[in-house]
Amino acid sequence: MAEEALLGFLEKNDLISDSGQFADERGLDHNEVVNVIKSLHGFRYVEAEDIKREAWMLTDEGRTYAATGSPEIQLFLAIPPEGIPKEELQKKLDPAVYKIGCAQAAKNKWVDMGKLVTRKVQHVEDKVKCLLLQIQDGQVVDQDDIKALKARKLIASQTWKGYSVKKGPNYAPKRKIVATDLTRENLQRGEWKELEFKEYNFSAKGLPVEGGHLHPLLKVRQQLKDIFRQMGFEEMPTNNFVESSFWNFDALFQPQQHPARDSHDTFFLKAPSTTNKLPDGYVDRVKSVHESGGYGSRGYGYDWKIEEATKNLLRTHTTAVSSRMLYELAKQKPFVPKRYFSIDRVFRNEAVDRTHLAEFHQIEGVVCDRGLTLGDLIGVLHDFFSRLGMSKLRFKPAYNPYTEPSMEIFSYHEGFKKWVEVGNSGMFRPEMLLPMGLPEDVRVIAWGLSLERPTMILYGIDNIRDLFGPKFHFLLLYRTQNAKTLSLNSVAADSRLRHSPANLRVSQAL
């Protein structure tokens, strides 16, 4: 109807000066008229020029007062001729209406706001409501009144956009339907001789090319990052694969004779083999707590050597990053609680088999706050793993050099109908935290798990080398592209996974 009205009007007239006025006079929706003008302008049926006007519109609060009256008039009408105690008046009105009404009525000298609220005048006019109704009807209002209403946030400026329209070079009283395709029927009936075809738009963009897909590890990693961020965690910087033994082991209160530091478990660097960038005062405190203890600990009672601490290696866990972050946090005064997480690559000198690689990804969550307890750790773990689809959890005491108490985390696997280990957790020891300079009442809870093994269960992969490494098959990208959101229990319930001995071994190893 809008297109017919526009083209029909221009057949007898040279110009439509205002599209808004044109729409109002014919009872048309202005948005529909605008869309038709844009379409006709694109095909050169008409020439259109922009029109912009500033208009005042009522805010939500303004529309309320236009309907029910201003707060000051509501307050005035609520006061009986003999007056009313302030407490009773306050009960009769909405709190916002009472507060604004008192201020405006007193400003207008309508009422006396004593313990007994009384009227100073007998008759008043609701000028605010009248002005709002005038603006709502599109009438012109004095600028001083506009400023007053704007100051009270009862009106807001809005830019009205429309068009002036005249005939274009391709004008016709009725739009011609142009063909976009030559069909078999056109050829058979001979219609192709009379057809007018739509011009090609060589500037139009084509369909996006499917040039790639996310790797399963990247997809699951992003889902886990979203979970951490929803829980209020911020990501730690994990871009340093090379770490010193000090941050990787010593700062975590892991003794220098610990088996994990042996070359059979750790990749040490040949060049540069050592670092000279360690914080001196902090190194001394770490040396002291290792050798003779402190903070309620007897220490390890051995001769701590700086030569061991300065050795460079490929980090064996992202907890090395956590130790750096906690040390930097301890230097901030006053102390501010933090929640950190990281998901990145770590390296261990292990034999490669279907469930182990020499490099893999570790997921780690850390919460640092005053007065944390083991109950807080259990609560956070239930929250985190429930978002992964694992609502049934159990915890088993364990030993870690830098956490006490420590717990292994188990989840009931709906697919395998058994409990499987899904991670490790604990509370960082005082011997680790207090040398950093953290306040004595600050506690740190943490947990970690791998990224590869949950991904293998999720996508039904029974050999880690098929997921991560040179044997990865790119067809797996297409197969996993439309997989559901991470939920280990729901996916593992699939019969193919449930009856897969290889996947059972992966889940047991998790």
Side-chain angles (χ1 to χ4, degrees), residues 39-273:
S39 175
L40 293 173
H41 179 74
F43 289 98
R44 306 300 302 279
Y45 279 81
V46 300
E47 297 290 344
E49 293 186 5
D50 293 343
I51 299 175
K52 292 183 181 180
R53 287 198 299 267
E54 292 294 327
W56 292 102
M57 306 295 292
L58 303 191
T59 62
D60 291 340
E61 187 178 1
R63 283 191 289 272
T64 301
Y65 297 163
T68 62
S70 64
E72 51 265 40
I73 202 70
Q74 293 184 52
L75 182 134
F76 182 84
L77 296 175
I79 302 171
E82 66 276 10
I84 184 173
K86 185 181 291 186
E87 294 77 10
E88 291 186 21
L89 177 61
Q90 191 170 0
K91 292 177 183 178
K92 292 177 67 174
L93 298 170
D94 180 87
V97 171
Y98 176 79
K99 181 179 178 181
I100 300 171
C102 286
Q104 294 297 327
K107 181 180 176 182
N108 295 341
K109 299 180 180 180
W110 290 354
V111 297
D112 183 6
M113 296 298 297
K115 288 185 178 180
L116 184 69
V117 183
T118 58
R119 297 180 179 182
K120 286 186 175 182
V121 294
Q122 294 306 313
H123 302 285
V124 294
E125 179 186 357
D126 194 352
K127 184 179 178 183
V128 171
K129 179 178 179 179
C130 293
L131 291 171
L132 292 173
L133 291 174
Q134 289 176 27
I135 292 173
Q136 198 171 44
D137 294 338
Q139 300 178 28
V140 178
V141 176
D142 185 81
Q143 285 300 313
D144 291 337
D145 293 328
I146 289 289
K147 289 180 181 178
L149 294 174
K150 184 180 177 184
R152 292 181 63 174
K153 297 182 179 179
L154 302 181
I155 59 173
S157 177
Q158 189 177 63
T159 302
W160 181 89
K161 295 181 180 180
Y163 293 95
S164 65
V165 185
K166 62 181 181 181
K167 294 177 183 178
N170 298 335
Y171 171 78
K174 188 176 181 180
R175 191 200 294 249
K176 295 179 182 178
I177 304 300
V178 293
T180 56
D181 291 304
L182 182 63
T183 65
R184 180 169 175 262
E185 289 74 15
N186 297 149
L187 295 171
Q188 287 178 334
R189 298 170 186 166
E191 296 172 352
W192 61 273
K193 299 177 183 178
E194 308 295 332
L195 284 177
E196 184 176 341
F197 289 93
K198 182 179 178 180
E199 294 182 1
Y200 281 104
N201 182 3
F202 293 101
S203 299
K205 294 181 179 180
L207 292 174
V209 179
E210 264 192 36
H213 297 284
L214 279 176
H215 190 283
L217 281 174
L218 296 179
K219 189 173 183 180
V220 175
R221 183 174 71 172
Q222 186 58 50
Q223 293 170 7
L224 284 159
K225 283 187 176 184
D226 292 342
I227 289 173
F228 273 113
R229 292 189 180 110
Q230 289 165 10
M231 294 176 65
F233 285 71
E234 58 182 274
E235 188 169 6
M236 295 185 280
T238 56
N239 54 344
N240 51 324
F241 289 173
V242 175
E243 194 54 271
S244 66
S245 293
F246 177 80
W247 291 110
N248 198 83
F249 296 121
D250 296 271
L252 300 177
F253 195 58
Q254 191 160 321
Q256 292 185 338
Q257 68 271 26
H258 194 281
R261 298 176 70 147
D262 191 274
S263 60
H264 294 296
D265 291 335
T266 306
F267 290 107
F268 288 96
L269 269 65
K270 287 186 177 180
S273 59

Side-chain angles (χ1 to χ4, degrees), residues 419-487:
W419 292 90
V420 296
E421 185 181 348
V422 293
N424 207 333
S425 66
M427 300 184 67
F428 284 153
R429 299 175 65 104
E431 298 96 322
M432 172 188 166
L433 300 178
L434 295 178
M436 293 178 174
L438 287 167
E440 290 187 4
D441 61 339
V442 168
R443 304 287 183 267
V444 178
I445 58 177
W447 73 97
L449 59 153
S450 76
L451 179 64
E452 281 77 7
R453 288 168 182 172
T455 306
M456 291 168 67
I457 295 176
L458 180 64
Y459 291 113
I461 301 168
D462 62 1
N463 192 326
I464 195 171
R465 289 168 291 192
D466 293 337
L467 173 70
F468 185 63
K471 292 186 177 181
F472 176 78
H473 200 299
F474 283 94
L475 287 177
L476 180 63
L477 291 178
Y478 298 94
R479 183 165 66 86
T480 61
Q481 189 61 26
N482 296 319
K484 296 179 180 179
T485 304
L486 180 61
S487 178

Side-chain angles (χ1 to χ4, degrees), residues 233-478:
F233 285 71
E234 58 182 274
E235 188 169 6
M236 295 185 280
T238 56
N239 54 344
N240 51 324
F241 289 173
V242 175
E243 194 54 271
S244 66
S245 293
F246 177 80
W247 291 110
N248 198 83
F249 296 121
D250 296 271
L252 300 177
F253 195 58
Q254 191 160 321
Q256 292 185 338
Q257 68 271 26
H258 194 281
R261 298 176 70 147
D262 191 274
S263 60
H264 294 296
D265 291 335
T266 306
F267 290 107
F268 288 96
L269 269 65
K270 287 186 177 180
S273 59
T274 61
T275 181
N276 58 2
K277 296 180 179 180
L278 296 178
D280 294 333
Y282 179 44
V283 169
D284 294 337
R285 295 193 295 273
V286 170
K287 170 182 169 69
S288 175
V289 77
H290 274 251
E291 291 183 339
S292 55
Y295 317 106
S297 170
R298 293 185 299 175
Y300 292 114
Y302 71 98
D303 184 16
W304 187 87
K305 297 178 181 178
I306 188 65
E307 294 79 14
E308 287 293 325
T310 56
K311 288 182 179 179
N312 285 331
L313 49 81
L314 294 179
R315 66 182 180 210
T316 62
H317 49 190
T318 54
T319 316
V321 181
S322 302
S323 64
R324 283 182 178 271
M325 294 297 292
L326 292 172
Y327 174 69
E328 292 299 322
L329 180 61
K331 293 192 293 185
Q332 298 179 20
K333 306 297 180 186
F335 168 76
V336 178
K338 287 289 185 179
R339 295 184 176 195
Y340 295 123
F341 82 92
S342 64
I343 306 175
D344 211 339
R345 195 171 300 187
V346 296
F347 309 86
R348 295 183 187 174
N349 192 3
E350 295 184 354
V352 175
D353 57 31
R354 67 187 308 112
T355 60
H356 294 85
L357 288 177
E359 54 180 303
F360 58 95
H361 293 79
Q362 182 178 337
I363 304 161
E364 184 163 346
V366 177
V367 181
C368 182
D369 203 348
R370 297 183 187 273
L372 292 175
T373 66
L374 191 65
D376 294 301
L377 173 59
I378 292 172
V380 171
L381 291 176
H382 273 290
D383 187 11
F384 174 77
F385 282 100
S386 67
R387 296 168 188 257
L388 300 180
M390 292 180 274
S391 57
K392 299 179 182 178
L393 295 183
R394 284 181 179 175
F395 305 98
K396 176 183 176 182
Y399 168 76
N400 294 317
Y402 43 89
T403 59
E404 179 61 37
S406 306
M407 302 185 303
E408 292 174 346
I409 310 163
F410 291 81
S411 173
Y412 187 74
H413 203 297
E414 299 290 351
F416 300 140
K417 302 299 180 185
K418 65 183 297 182
W419 292 90
V420 296
E421 185 181 348
V422 293
N424 207 333
S425 66
M427 300 184 67
F428 284 153
R429 299 175 65 104
E431 298 96 322
M432 172 188 166
L433 300 178
L434 295 178
M436 293 178 174
L438 287 167
E440 290 187 4
D441 61 339
V442 168
R443 304 287 183 267
V444 178
I445 58 177
W447 73 97
L449 59 153
S450 76
L451 179 64
E452 281 77 7
R453 288 168 182 172
T455 306
M456 291 168 67
I457 295 176
L458 180 64
Y459 291 113
I461 301 168
D462 62 1
N463 192 326
I464 195 171
R465 289 168 291 192
D466 293 337
L467 173 70
F468 185 63
K471 292 186 177 181
F472 176 78
H473 200 299
F474 283 94
L475 287 177
L476 180 63
L477 291 178
Y478 298 94

